[in-house]
Amino acid sequence: MSTVHLLEAVLELTGPGAVAAPESLAVGSARRPSLPLARDGWGNPYVPATSLVGSLRQQAARDRRPVLFGEVVQGTGEDGGETLARASTVRVLGTRCRPEEEPVVRRRTAVDRHRAAARATSLHSRELLPPGTEITLWLRIDSAAPECPLVNEVVALLGAWRPRVGGGRTTGYGRAELVRVRHRAIDLSTTAGLLHWLTEGGPELVDDRASVVYDRSHRAGGAPDEALLFDRSLEFRIVDALHIGGGEPFAHPGRGTDAAPLLRDHEGTPVVPGSTWKGVLRARCEFILGSVGVGGVCTPHGGGGEHPGPGTCGRCAVCVAFGWTERSGAPPGRDGARPGAVGARGWLLFADSPIRDGRVRVRNHVALDRVFGGARDGALYAEQTVEDGHLVLAVRHDPPVPEPGDSPVRELVRAALVLALSEVADGTVGIGGGTTRGHGTLAALPATSDWLAKARTEAVETLRRAHRDATAPPAPEGIPV
């Protein structure tokens, strides 16, 4: 080694995101978020370098990953053989996280499929870094000469990178963009280089002699996002009123009770979160595919005990598309085997949908006394609702995984999604709370309505063919099919 190459990559969150640290919860943490932010020893938000480099490694071509980021080859044979390890050529020096604003907390709850109400003990909260948070990552590459082809390769890899920070990627969390990459070469064979190496340290090693090798402002568009599933976004308008809760009730002047607030994004705009879209559409896809008898979809049992909930088999089309998590007491699969992992991420990605041009109002509600027919004492409550607005749904997907039988599964899920979205556009399925009392009804805007009408015909035919294939009697033995 005679030259040390340092790369400083600056990322910016374009949506809420964070690496959670539930292990930091201790006695007395009942009022803290269920999934708090990872923090360093000084209490500052922290993004582990391993989280970012793992994402960067996946961006590299498969045959280049061992060269750049190392590998571990497990031994084979009856005695296990020798385990071989190859060190990473790209060294990770660390990260620094600088939020522009205070972290935010989002609350979520699961919905019971049978009662269509919040499932008991499923409410949880997550602490998130706000959009605009700057995350800096430092990398090091050593070479025998000042010119190093690996540096150019890593810079090109960074330029094509779509960073995703932390969990919740399929519900719109952790989206980020690469802002800038600086390169500083320190030649240890020279006096100036050796002096700089010995007298400086930490981020100061990348000083004003570093050159900018990537700048977002000089490259229009940057790395492309994941592809849209339907090659288009879908536009809806609110027909009546919509309420998705977003925290503790607040005092409202002139009202006799506190009001439940709307969920809002970092700009204060009411929003339908990606988790809501994912939950509603997953439930409808389960019902649609199960009703037509194709796909071998998990039976959506609710409650606990022997059937803890949907999404636990990890093998059916819905689990593969939307992801799944193994729950305690999960039932065995159709082959009698229990899931061999704790979960897997799906290939469908749902982003938040800000509600534009809507009016926010506070509506009062009161329960009625069944005996006297009047308002029940102490039962007055209020909630914020947004009316007359419109929103855009973007459903994206990861690149297809080349596995046997993968394409038909994707076609089934895509067809079921089209029918589920048609139900939303028709007002059959509502979004958010209070759907049984007139809230949460959406209608598709003309361009989306026309597209759904055409896509629905194709989706029905896809499911009809799959149903015929699934219900066709087996051919008698000895007779060719």
Side-chain angles (χ1 to χ4, degrees):
M1 173 193 73
S2 64
T3 304
V4 176
H5 299 271
L6 300 177
L7 293 173
E8 180 187 76
V10 180
L11 314 177
E12 181 185 69
L13 286 179
T14 57
V19 174
E23 68 278 2
S24 64
L25 294 176
V27 177
S29 299
R31 297 185 63 84
R32 292 188 58 194
S34 312
L35 296 173
L37 278 173
R39 297 180 181 270
D40 60 19
W42 294 269
N44 300 316
Y46 171 63
V47 175
T50 51
S51 176
L52 296 178
V53 175
S55 172
L56 183 60
R57 177 189 173 95
Q58 290 301 111
Q59 180 72 25
R62 190 176 297 274
D63 61 333
R64 297 300 297 168
R65 293 175 191 172
V67 178
L68 297 174
F69 301 100
E71 65 176 340
V72 176
V73 180
Q74 300 292 341
T76 58
E78 295 182 358
D79 58 352
E82 183 180 3
T83 298
L84 302 177
R86 181 177 183 174
S88 174
T89 304
V90 180
R91 302 188 189 185
V92 185
L93 302 183
T95 62
R96 182 171 59 192
C97 182
R98 289 181 173 177
E100 290 188 348
E101 302 173 7
E102 290 297 315
V104 297
V105 175
R106 279 199 180 183
R107 292 173 173 83
R108 289 174 54 182
T109 186
V111 174
D112 187 283
R113 298 291 200 274
H114 291 289
R115 297 187 300 107
R119 186 184 301 161
T121 70
S122 65
L123 178 65
H124 63 283
S125 57
R126 179 169 186 161
E127 195 175 15
L128 297 166
L129 294 169
T133 297
E134 184 179 280
I135 303 169
T136 306
L137 168 69
W138 287 275
L139 304 173
R140 170 182 169 182
I141 302 173
D142 296 338
S143 68
E147 297 297 327
C148 179
L150 285 180
V151 173
N152 298 329
E153 183 178 355
V154 173
V155 170
L157 186 63
L158 288 167
W161 186 25
R162 293 191 303 265
R164 297 295 180 261
V165 179
R169 175 182 176 185
T170 60
T171 51
Y173 292 158
R175 300 178 67 83
E177 288 184 0
L178 184 68
V179 177
R180 182 178 58 258
V181 179
R182 294 201 300 159
H183 171 224
R184 175 66 158 98
I186 306 174
D187 190 349
L188 302 184
S189 64
T190 65
T191 302
L194 188 60
L195 180 64
H196 181 69
W197 179 254
L198 295 177
T199 57
E200 300 293 343
E204 287 73 23
L205 283 170
V206 185
D207 57 8
D208 54 5
R209 295 186 60 184
S211 59
V212 177
V213 293
Y214 176 91
D215 194 302
R216 179 175 60 181
S217 62
H218 298 162
R219 297 184 59 177
D225 282 331
E226 295 88 354
L228 291 168
L229 180 66
F230 304 116
D231 299 324
R232 62 180 297 146
S233 297
L234 307 177
E235 299 176 298
F236 298 89
R237 63 177 178 86
I238 298 174
V239 174
D240 35 47
L242 186 144
H243 173 81
I244 296 178
E248 298 294 333
F250 65 97
H252 192 270
R255 303 278 178 169
T257 183
D258 291 346
L262 285 166
L263 178 66
R264 298 174 182 266
D265 63 12
H266 64 288
E267 296 178 340
T269 304
V271 63
V272 176
S275 56
T276 294
W277 286 119
K278 181 179 177 180
V280 170
L281 295 176
R282 175 178 187 140
R284 296 311 302 165
C285 286
E286 288 174 354
F287 177 81
I288 291 167
L289 291 178
S291 297
V292 299
V294 299
V297 179
C298 296
T299 303
H301 294 286
E306 183 180 357
H307 300 291
T312 57
C313 81
R315 301 176 182 86
C316 70
V318 174
C319 284
V320 172
F322 289 85
W324 62 281
T325 301
E326 181 181 347
R327 298 178 176 87
S328 176
R334 291 184 297 275
D335 57 359
R338 292 188 178 275
V342 296
R345 188 181 70 205
W347 52 267
L348 290 175
L349 313 176
F350 299 87
D352 292 351
S353 298
I355 301 172
R356 307 296 183 187
D357 303 326
R359 297 180 301 168
V360 176
R361 297 179 55 186
V362 175
R363 292 190 173 188
N364 278 350
H365 305 271
V366 66
L368 297 180
D369 189 293
R370 296 294 193 271
V371 177
F372 299 103
R376 184 184 301 170
D377 186 39
L380 177 68
Y381 66 100
E383 61 186 16
Q384 277 188 329
T385 60
V386 59
E387 306 172 1
D388 303 331
H390 64 270
L391 59 152
V392 177
L393 169 62
V395 183
R396 300 182 181 274
H397 65 105
D398 276 337
V401 179
E403 295 180 356
D406 184 66
S407 181
V409 168
R410 287 176 178 262
E411 291 178 3
L412 282 177
V413 173
R414 189 182 188 279
L417 267 175
V418 168
L419 297 186
L421 289 166
S422 297
E423 293 179 333
V424 173
D426 294 341
T428 308
V429 174
I431 300 294
T435 57
T436 58
R437 48 189 168 88
H439 287 182
T441 306
L442 303 181
L445 295 185
T448 298
S449 180
D450 294 342
W451 179 84
L452 282 173
K454 296 176 183 177
R456 190 179 186 278
T457 302
E458 181 181 348
V460 169
E461 184 57 32
T462 297
L463 294 180
R464 182 176 288 118
R465 288 197 304 268
H467 175 72
R468 286 198 298 265
D469 294 342
T471 58
E477 294 184 6
I479 299 178
V481 179

Tab-separated table of all heavy atoms in Angstrom, residues 106 238 242-244 261-273 352-361 384-387 389-392:
chain	number	residue	atom	x	y	z
A	106	ARG	N	-44.518	7.956	14.133
A	106	ARG	CA	-45.726	7.484	13.446
A	106	ARG	C	-46.265	6.255	14.168
A	106	ARG	O	-45.501	5.372	14.555
A	106	ARG	CB	-45.423	7.130	11.991
A	106	ARG	CG	-45.387	8.321	11.066
A	106	ARG	CD	-45.554	7.883	9.622
A	106	ARG	NE	-45.518	9.000	8.690
A	106	ARG	CZ	-45.691	8.877	7.394
A	106	ARG	NH1	-45.916	7.678	6.866
A	106	ARG	NH2	-45.647	9.926	6.598
A	238	ILE	N	-61.288	12.400	-3.052
A	238	ILE	CA	-62.071	12.033	-1.870
A	238	ILE	C	-63.525	12.406	-2.118
A	238	ILE	O	-63.838	13.568	-2.439
A	238	ILE	CB	-61.524	12.749	-0.620
A	238	ILE	CG1	-60.084	12.316	-0.362
A	238	ILE	CG2	-62.391	12.461	0.597
A	238	ILE	CD1	-59.410	13.072	0.763
A	242	LEU	N	-62.214	11.834	4.891
A	242	LEU	CA	-61.244	10.772	5.164
A	242	LEU	C	-60.513	11.100	6.458
A	242	LEU	O	-60.099	12.252	6.676
A	242	LEU	CB	-60.259	10.648	4.004
A	242	LEU	CG	-59.261	9.484	4.045
A	242	LEU	CD1	-59.002	8.947	2.642
A	242	LEU	CD2	-57.941	9.914	4.669
A	243	HIS	N	-60.372	10.087	7.299
A	243	HIS	CA	-59.631	10.264	8.554
A	243	HIS	C	-58.688	9.088	8.756
A	243	HIS	O	-59.113	7.933	8.805
A	243	HIS	CB	-60.583	10.354	9.752
A	243	HIS	CG	-59.859	10.370	11.072
A	243	HIS	ND1	-59.284	11.508	11.592
A	243	HIS	CD2	-59.603	9.368	11.954
A	243	HIS	CE1	-58.697	11.216	12.743
A	243	HIS	NE2	-58.880	9.926	12.985
A	244	ILE	N	-57.395	9.396	8.866
A	244	ILE	CA	-56.380	8.433	9.289
A	244	ILE	C	-55.651	9.085	10.451
A	244	ILE	O	-55.021	10.138	10.297
A	244	ILE	CB	-55.406	8.089	8.151
A	244	ILE	CG1	-56.159	7.389	7.013
A	244	ILE	CG2	-54.264	7.216	8.658
A	244	ILE	CD1	-55.295	7.041	5.826
A	261	PRO	N	-56.233	13.992	15.768
A	261	PRO	CA	-55.628	14.663	14.607
A	261	PRO	C	-55.468	13.728	13.419
A	261	PRO	O	-55.497	12.503	13.544
A	261	PRO	CB	-54.258	15.096	15.136
A	261	PRO	CG	-53.915	14.039	16.143
A	261	PRO	CD	-55.225	13.650	16.782
A	262	LEU	N	-55.270	14.336	12.264
A	262	LEU	CA	-54.943	13.601	11.045
A	262	LEU	C	-53.455	13.263	11.022
A	262	LEU	O	-52.624	13.985	11.586
A	262	LEU	CB	-55.268	14.439	9.815
A	262	LEU	CG	-56.726	14.611	9.415
A	262	LEU	CD1	-56.853	15.744	8.403
A	262	LEU	CD2	-57.285	13.321	8.839
A	263	LEU	N	-53.108	12.192	10.343
A	263	LEU	CA	-51.711	11.896	10.069
A	263	LEU	C	-51.222	12.859	8.989
A	263	LEU	O	-51.873	13.034	7.957
A	263	LEU	CB	-51.557	10.451	9.589
A	263	LEU	CG	-50.139	10.021	9.208
A	263	LEU	CD1	-49.231	10.014	10.429
A	263	LEU	CD2	-50.147	8.639	8.571
A	264	ARG	N	-50.062	13.493	9.246
A	264	ARG	CA	-49.512	14.459	8.298
A	264	ARG	C	-48.061	14.131	8.003
A	264	ARG	O	-47.376	13.493	8.819
A	264	ARG	CB	-49.611	15.889	8.855
A	264	ARG	CG	-51.062	16.348	9.094
A	264	ARG	CD	-51.103	17.700	9.773
A	264	ARG	NE	-52.467	18.127	10.053
A	264	ARG	CZ	-53.196	18.901	9.271
A	264	ARG	NH1	-52.675	19.358	8.131
A	264	ARG	NH2	-54.416	19.254	9.596
A	265	ASP	N	-47.583	14.594	6.840
A	265	ASP	CA	-46.187	14.385	6.500
A	265	ASP	C	-45.336	15.526	7.048
A	265	ASP	O	-45.821	16.377	7.809
A	265	ASP	CB	-46.011	14.232	4.987
A	265	ASP	CG	-46.421	15.478	4.209
A	265	ASP	OD1	-46.625	16.543	4.838
A	265	ASP	OD2	-46.536	15.394	2.975
A	266	HIS	N	-44.061	15.573	6.653
A	266	HIS	CA	-43.147	16.569	7.203
A	266	HIS	C	-43.504	17.985	6.799
A	266	HIS	O	-43.057	18.942	7.430
A	266	HIS	CB	-41.722	16.255	6.743
A	266	HIS	CG	-41.520	16.360	5.261
A	266	HIS	ND1	-42.040	15.426	4.383
A	266	HIS	CD2	-40.885	17.280	4.495
A	266	HIS	CE1	-41.721	15.769	3.143
A	266	HIS	NE2	-41.017	16.882	3.185
A	267	GLU	N	-44.329	18.162	5.766
A	267	GLU	CA	-44.748	19.493	5.333
A	267	GLU	C	-46.090	19.896	5.933
A	267	GLU	O	-46.624	20.951	5.600
A	267	GLU	CB	-44.837	19.538	3.808
A	267	GLU	CG	-43.503	19.326	3.103
A	267	GLU	CD	-43.634	19.337	1.594
A	267	GLU	OE1	-44.767	19.126	1.106
A	267	GLU	OE2	-42.616	19.545	0.904
A	268	GLY	N	-46.636	19.039	6.803
A	268	GLY	CA	-47.926	19.327	7.407
A	268	GLY	C	-49.108	18.982	6.541
A	268	GLY	O	-50.241	19.376	6.842
A	269	THR	N	-48.886	18.257	5.458
A	269	THR	CA	-49.958	17.880	4.541
A	269	THR	C	-50.586	16.556	4.984
A	269	THR	O	-49.861	15.603	5.274
A	269	THR	CB	-49.412	17.723	3.116
A	269	THR	OG1	-48.764	18.928	2.718
A	269	THR	CG2	-50.527	17.389	2.136
A	270	PRO	N	-51.925	16.461	5.069
A	270	PRO	CA	-52.546	15.172	5.373
A	270	PRO	C	-52.096	14.109	4.373
A	270	PRO	O	-51.912	14.393	3.178
A	270	PRO	CB	-54.047	15.456	5.250
A	270	PRO	CG	-54.169	16.926	5.488
A	270	PRO	CD	-52.924	17.537	4.916
A	271	VAL	N	-51.936	12.891	4.841
A	271	VAL	CA	-51.331	11.864	4.003
A	271	VAL	C	-51.994	10.515	4.262
A	271	VAL	O	-52.430	10.216	5.387
A	271	VAL	CB	-49.806	11.779	4.276
A	271	VAL	CG1	-49.529	11.350	5.708
A	271	VAL	CG2	-49.110	10.858	3.300
A	272	VAL	N	-52.130	9.721	3.204
A	272	VAL	CA	-52.491	8.306	3.319
A	272	VAL	C	-51.181	7.530	3.280
A	272	VAL	O	-50.502	7.520	2.250
A	272	VAL	CB	-53.414	7.852	2.177
A	272	VAL	CG1	-53.687	6.351	2.282
A	272	VAL	CG2	-54.723	8.624	2.212
A	273	PRO	N	-50.772	6.917	4.376
A	273	PRO	CA	-49.458	6.272	4.411
A	273	PRO	C	-49.410	5.012	3.555
A	273	PRO	O	-50.437	4.381	3.280
A	273	PRO	CB	-49.262	5.936	5.895
A	273	PRO	CG	-50.647	5.799	6.430
A	273	PRO	CD	-51.479	6.794	5.656
A	352	ASP	N	-46.214	6.775	0.411
A	352	ASP	CA	-47.219	7.658	0.989
A	352	ASP	C	-47.906	8.463	-0.115
A	352	ASP	O	-47.295	8.790	-1.139
A	352	ASP	CB	-46.581	8.628	1.982
A	352	ASP	CG	-46.071	7.934	3.236
A	352	ASP	OD1	-46.373	6.737	3.410
A	352	ASP	OD2	-45.383	8.588	4.036
A	353	SER	N	-49.165	8.817	0.132
A	353	SER	CA	-49.935	9.621	-0.822
A	353	SER	C	-50.401	10.908	-0.139
A	353	SER	O	-51.407	10.897	0.591
A	353	SER	CB	-51.149	8.841	-1.334
A	353	SER	OG	-50.755	7.680	-2.025
A	354	PRO	N	-49.686	12.017	-0.319
A	354	PRO	CA	-50.157	13.296	0.241
A	354	PRO	C	-51.489	13.699	-0.382
A	354	PRO	O	-51.725	13.501	-1.572
A	354	PRO	CB	-49.043	14.282	-0.136
A	354	PRO	CG	-47.844	13.426	-0.430
A	354	PRO	CD	-48.389	12.148	-0.991
A	355	ILE	N	-52.364	14.287	0.430
A	355	ILE	CA	-53.685	14.729	-0.031
A	355	ILE	C	-53.608	16.217	-0.353
A	355	ILE	O	-53.348	17.043	0.528
A	355	ILE	CB	-54.755	14.450	1.039
A	355	ILE	CG1	-54.796	12.953	1.359
A	355	ILE	CG2	-56.123	14.929	0.562
A	355	ILE	CD1	-55.686	12.610	2.539
A	356	ARG	N	-53.813	16.553	-1.613
A	356	ARG	CA	-53.689	17.929	-2.070
A	356	ARG	C	-55.066	18.577	-2.210
A	356	ARG	O	-56.053	17.914	-2.548
A	356	ARG	CB	-52.972	17.979	-3.432
A	356	ARG	CG	-51.627	17.254	-3.461
A	356	ARG	CD	-50.609	17.891	-2.532
A	356	ARG	NE	-49.318	17.227	-2.617
A	356	ARG	CZ	-48.292	17.499	-1.817
A	356	ARG	NH1	-48.413	18.442	-0.890
A	356	ARG	NH2	-47.152	16.855	-1.933
A	357	ASP	N	-55.103	19.894	-1.975
A	357	ASP	CA	-56.295	20.726	-2.199
A	357	ASP	C	-57.506	20.251	-1.393
A	357	ASP	O	-58.658	20.421	-1.821
A	357	ASP	CB	-56.668	20.748	-3.691
A	357	ASP	CG	-55.526	21.242	-4.553
A	357	ASP	OD1	-54.783	22.115	-4.083
A	357	ASP	OD2	-55.377	20.730	-5.691
A	358	GLY	N	-57.258	19.667	-0.240
A	358	GLY	CA	-58.365	19.227	0.608
A	358	GLY	C	-58.653	20.220	1.724
A	358	GLY	O	-57.780	20.979	2.153
A	359	ARG	N	-59.895	20.238	2.192
A	359	ARG	CA	-60.292	21.074	3.328
A	359	ARG	C	-60.261	20.229	4.591
A	359	ARG	O	-60.852	19.148	4.641
A	359	ARG	CB	-61.685	21.643	3.126
A	359	ARG	CG	-61.821	22.582	1.935
A	359	ARG	CD	-63.247	23.084	1.821
A	359	ARG	NE	-64.185	21.971	1.656
A	359	ARG	CZ	-65.509	22.078	1.758
A	359	ARG	NH1	-66.048	23.247	2.060
A	359	ARG	NH2	-66.284	21.039	1.565
A	360	VAL	N	-59.595	20.722	5.615
A	360	VAL	CA	-59.521	20.015	6.890
A	360	VAL	C	-60.577	20.588	7.827
A	360	VAL	O	-60.632	21.804	8.050
A	360	VAL	CB	-58.119	20.143	7.520
A	360	VAL	CG1	-58.098	19.487	8.895
A	360	VAL	CG2	-57.077	19.500	6.611
A	361	ARG	N	-61.425	19.713	8.342
A	361	ARG	CA	-62.480	20.113	9.264
A	361	ARG	C	-62.454	19.214	10.492
A	361	ARG	O	-61.913	18.109	10.461
A	361	ARG	CB	-63.855	20.023	8.596
A	361	ARG	CG	-64.057	20.956	7.412
A	361	ARG	CD	-65.434	20.773	6.821
A	361	ARG	NE	-66.494	20.945	7.826
A	361	ARG	CZ	-67.784	20.718	7.596
A	361	ARG	NH1	-68.183	20.294	6.411
A	361	ARG	NH2	-68.679	20.911	8.532
A	384	GLN	N	-60.421	15.119	13.276
A	384	GLN	CA	-60.144	15.865	12.059
A	384	GLN	C	-60.413	14.987	10.856
A	384	GLN	O	-60.087	13.801	10.857
A	384	GLN	CB	-58.685	16.318	12.029
A	384	GLN	CG	-58.381	17.578	12.795
A	384	GLN	CD	-56.957	18.029	12.542
A	384	GLN	OE1	-56.074	17.216	12.310
A	384	GLN	NE2	-56.714	19.329	12.616
A	385	THR	N	-60.979	15.585	9.830
A	385	THR	CA	-61.164	14.884	8.559
A	385	THR	C	-60.717	15.811	7.435
A	385	THR	O	-60.713	17.038	7.579
A	385	THR	CB	-62.632	14.484	8.327
A	385	THR	OG1	-63.446	15.662	8.310
A	385	THR	CG2	-63.114	13.538	9.410
A	386	VAL	N	-60.340	15.229	6.324
A	386	VAL	CA	-59.980	16.012	5.145
A	386	VAL	C	-61.006	15.704	4.052
A	386	VAL	O	-61.375	14.559	3.835
A	386	VAL	CB	-58.541	15.695	4.679
A	386	VAL	CG1	-58.375	14.227	4.345
A	386	VAL	CG2	-58.147	16.561	3.493
A	387	GLU	N	-61.479	16.764	3.399
A	387	GLU	CA	-62.555	16.632	2.415
A	387	GLU	C	-62.137	17.251	1.081
A	387	GLU	O	-61.318	18.169	1.031
A	387	GLU	CB	-63.824	17.327	2.927
A	387	GLU	CG	-64.257	16.839	4.304
A	387	GLU	CD	-65.395	17.664	4.877
A	387	GLU	OE1	-65.839	18.600	4.185
A	387	GLU	OE2	-65.806	17.378	6.008
A	389	GLY	N	-60.273	16.596	-1.332
A	389	GLY	CA	-58.921	16.581	-1.861
A	389	GLY	C	-58.715	15.488	-2.891
A	389	GLY	O	-59.607	14.687	-3.187
A	390	HIS	N	-57.518	15.451	-3.466
A	390	HIS	CA	-57.165	14.372	-4.385
A	390	HIS	C	-55.774	13.862	-4.017
A	390	HIS	O	-54.976	14.563	-3.385
A	390	HIS	CB	-57.202	14.849	-5.844
A	390	HIS	CG	-56.194	15.903	-6.167
A	390	HIS	ND1	-56.447	17.247	-6.040
A	390	HIS	CD2	-54.904	15.822	-6.601
A	390	HIS	CE1	-55.395	17.947	-6.390
A	390	HIS	NE2	-54.439	17.104	-6.736
A	391	LEU	N	-55.478	12.645	-4.405
A	391	LEU	CA	-54.231	11.986	-4.046
A	391	LEU	C	-53.791	11.065	-5.164
A	391	LEU	O	-54.587	10.669	-6.016
A	391	LEU	CB	-54.368	11.213	-2.734
A	391	LEU	CG	-55.432	10.116	-2.676
A	391	LEU	CD1	-55.021	9.047	-1.691
A	391	LEU	CD2	-56.777	10.686	-2.223
A	392	VAL	N	-52.503	10.717	-5.138
A	392	VAL	CA	-51.904	9.877	-6.172
A	392	VAL	C	-51.304	8.645	-5.499
A	392	VAL	O	-50.567	8.760	-4.516
A	392	VAL	CB	-50.810	10.644	-6.945
A	392	VAL	CG1	-50.141	9.725	-7.963
A	392	VAL	CG2	-51.410	11.861	-7.643
